[in-house]
Amino acid sequence: MDTMDLNLLVALDALLAETSVTGAARRLGLSASAMSRTLTRLRAATGDPLLVRAGRGLVPTPHAIGLRDKVHALTREVQAVLRPSVIDLDLAALDRTFTIRASEAFMDLLSAPVVAAITGAAPRLRLHFAPKLDKTAHPLREGMIDLEIGVLGTSAPEIRSQVLFTDELVGVVRREHPLLVDAAVTPERYAACKHLATFRDGDPAERIDEALERLGLRRSIPVVVPGYPDAMRIARQSDLVALVPRSCLGNRLTRDDDILQGLESFALPLPTPSFKISAIWHPRVDADPAHRWLRETVMAVCRAAYPRRR
């Protein structure tokens, strides 16, 4: 082990984050000269300059840019390994803040029971809900997000996930909509309607459009909205046809008649792709007792809401 110095990993993480010897030294509580010597050692160890002069500052080399995320993740994992673990979790005394990234649909349907389950058991714990604007793994890697709920959309190999339930898309229209009156819903009648879509329809909706195209049909979509709750509200007051996950129609923890008041749902007249809703987190918090309890509680709430669609 004489050739391995984990302090170099911590120093490299600081240097790549700050792109400044002085800034990295300040972050680690070292002198600028000590950090400069460490940079020299890192250059010798990696065989790369890592940071090179550009005007009055430093810029990372391509090799350093390629190392940045990996080094940061390794540093966090090493720090977690060497930090004393908490065996007994005292929920009543748990004083932490967790950030959960979730979609608007999740917030509408399950945020209240999730909050009730978590704060009821851990009254000093704080929850911050962040909007799900994309599926990038960066916030999980950087620790900006503690837990994500939704469709796994990242190829990051280290990300952990656990399926909560399986969902599928269904059609939604206002009650007494012409599409549901007097005749079966066929692909032709479905495609002939005016539709509204969401920014987050993604692959499932695209596969439905592909199935229509194979039949020589195409949806007309004059309206696009941010999320599924908006789509349901507009469908309730118009002749537009919405495409939403079945989970949006309610569950055992929410009253279906409240959500569906004035709406009718129907099975799509096409092969309906299913998709998995998962809890997603970074492995550095895998063994953290508080985080484990958080995700297990969220999983329990979701599975109680959708027991038949795991």
Side-chain angles (χ1 to χ4, degrees):
M1 299 294 289
D2 290 342
T3 60
M4 183 179 294
D5 185 351
L6 292 180
N7 287 317
L8 288 179
L9 185 66
V10 176
L12 180 57
D13 182 41
L15 284 164
L16 295 180
E18 299 286 341
T19 61
S20 163
V21 171
T22 302
R26 187 182 305 113
R27 174 186 283 209
L28 299 182
L30 300 174
S31 67
S33 59
M35 183 56 69
S36 181
R37 290 193 296 271
T38 300
L39 177 56
T40 299
R41 292 180 61 195
L42 284 165
R43 286 168 171 165
T46 61
D48 188 85
L50 298 174
L51 297 173
V52 297
R53 182 67 58 186
R56 301 180 65 180
L58 297 175
V59 294
T61 65
H63 182 61
I65 292 172
L67 288 176
R68 182 183 289 153
D69 288 344
K70 185 176 181 179
V71 168
H72 183 69
L74 284 172
T75 302
R76 296 291 292 268
E77 289 179 12
V78 168
Q79 290 171 340
V81 168
L82 299 179
R83 184 183 301 125
S85 61
V86 179
I87 304 301
D88 297 321
L89 184 63
D90 184 355
L91 292 177
L94 183 59
D95 186 3
R96 286 178 61 176
T97 299
F98 285 111
T99 300
I100 300 175
R101 181 165 71 170
S103 67
E104 185 185 5
F106 177 88
M107 294 301 298
D108 265 20
L109 292 166
L110 287 174
S111 60
V114 163
V115 168
I118 290 174
T119 59
R124 299 181 65 183
L125 188 145
R126 297 168 297 280
L127 289 177
H128 290 178
F129 286 96
K132 191 177 176 71
L133 303 177
D134 55 49
K135 298 178 182 179
T136 177
H138 179 74
L140 289 168
R141 283 173 167 166
E142 294 296 315
M144 296 181 288
I145 300 295
D146 297 294
L147 187 67
E148 180 170 340
I149 307 297
V151 177
L152 183 64
T154 176
S155 59
E158 79 274 21
I159 296 301
R160 304 284 173 83
S161 66
Q162 178 67 50
V163 175
L164 301 176
F165 57 91
T166 300
D167 214 342
E168 63 181 356
L169 294 177
V170 295
V172 174
V173 294
R174 66 171 176 82
R175 287 184 180 166
E176 300 183 358
H177 190 283
L179 179 62
L180 301 186
V181 175
D182 298 332
V185 178
T186 63
E188 292 76 14
R189 295 186 66 231
Y190 174 73
C193 296
K194 298 289 186 181
H195 296 255
L196 60 92
T198 74
F199 288 125
R200 301 186 183 94
D201 273 350
D203 291 340
E206 290 172 5
R207 280 181 271 168
I208 288 171
D209 286 329
E210 290 169 0
L212 285 171
E213 287 179 7
R214 286 193 289 270
L215 298 174
L217 302 171
R218 172 179 284 186
R219 291 191 299 160
S220 172
I221 305 175
V223 177
V224 178
V225 295
Y228 296 122
D230 303 301
M232 295 173 71
R233 282 190 287 270
I234 294 174
R236 184 183 289 118
Q237 300 178 57
S238 70
D239 279 341
L240 294 172
V241 178
L243 194 61
V244 304
R246 186 179 294 279
S247 59
C248 286
L249 306 183
N251 52 68
R252 287 190 174 183
L253 304 181
T254 59
R255 294 184 56 190
D256 291 13
D257 55 343
D258 288 344
I259 294 172
L260 291 177
Q261 186 175 12
L263 287 174
E264 294 283 352
S265 64
F266 62 92
L268 299 173
L270 298 154
T272 305
S274 62
F275 48 95
K276 297 182 187 330
I277 304 300
S278 300
I280 308 161
W281 65 96
H282 195 274
R284 73 168 176 278
V285 295
D286 210 34
D288 175 32
H291 192 281
R292 185 187 302 118
W293 174 80
L294 171 77
R295 62 182 185 261
E296 288 177 352
T297 302
V298 172
M299 290 176 193
V301 170
C302 291
R303 287 170 175 171
Y306 302 106
R308 299 178 184 177
R309 289 189 285 279
R310 293 185 187 180

